[in-house]
Amino acid sequence: MFTGLVANACSVVSVDDSESVRRLNIALGELSAGLETGASVAINGVCLTVAMIDDGLASFDVVPATVSVTNLDSLHSGSLVNVERSLRIGDEIGGHLVSGHVCTTASVVDIELGDNRGIEFEVPIEWSRYMIAKGFIALNGVSLTLDWFDTASRRGRVNLIPETLQRTTLGGLEVGDHLNVEIDAQTLATVNTVERYLDARSGVAQSES
């Protein structure tokens, strides 16, 4: 589990592709202190397992299924990624609980420049029903509050403070970039439960008519 509070943006040293796996080699620097193979680390919000660690350089293997639903397919040598070590018992949760299980990607459609930057994005239609204004959302692993969302256009907006712009990769976003999206688990559960209940009620009503 993670909190959505990204520790730093780190550089991808190299990307090695094979038929079965994509290996990301990332320079974690001081974030590698005490890190061991088998540990979980969020890379752009995706929970990955450390396959190898050596003098600050960590390697992560990404299976095709994960590559296909995240923006990890666009990474190359020199790319910056958001990095968060896993939550430990007793740590302060300043964001919200994040699993690292990315649901989909969203495309950046507009950026309002300034110290407090606004990012407008568009999500696939099948995920729009989970977008709730003032609810939690994680974009590239960063815990944010959804400022507003318009169901018809499938577009929403988040606001970024200077600290977030400086510490994460979100300060370097451009229109057309893709963001990893993780919906808050409580939102997922609530929406799915309500939909199943309404479907069941509809089925009962049709059988009685």
Side-chain angles (χ1 to χ4, degrees), residues 31-52:
L31 292 181
S32 66
L35 190 65
E36 299 180 353
T37 56
S40 295
V41 179
I43 304 297
N44 271 3
V46 183
C47 180
L48 298 177
T49 300
V50 177
M52 185 182 70

Side-chain angles (χ1 to χ4, degrees), residues 97-144:
L97 287 177
V98 177
S99 68
H101 298 162
V102 169
C103 303
T104 186
T105 59
S107 57
V108 177
V109 295
D110 192 30
I111 299 175
E112 180 183 329
L113 300 179
D115 289 338
N116 297 314
R117 190 168 304 180
I119 304 295
E120 189 174 326
F121 60 91
E122 182 179 314
V123 300
I125 189 170
E126 63 268 28
W127 294 100
S128 61
R129 66 184 187 275
Y130 298 107
M131 299 290 164
I132 300 176
K134 309 309 176 185
F136 286 126
I137 189 173
L139 298 178
N140 274 9
V142 181
S143 173
L144 297 166

Side-chain angles (χ1 to χ4, degrees), residues 69-70 101-105 127 180-184 188:
V69 297
T70 70
H101 298 162
V102 169
C103 303
T104 186
T105 59
W127 294 100
N180 290 331
V181 178
E182 180 181 335
I183 310 298
D184 174 53
L188 278 171

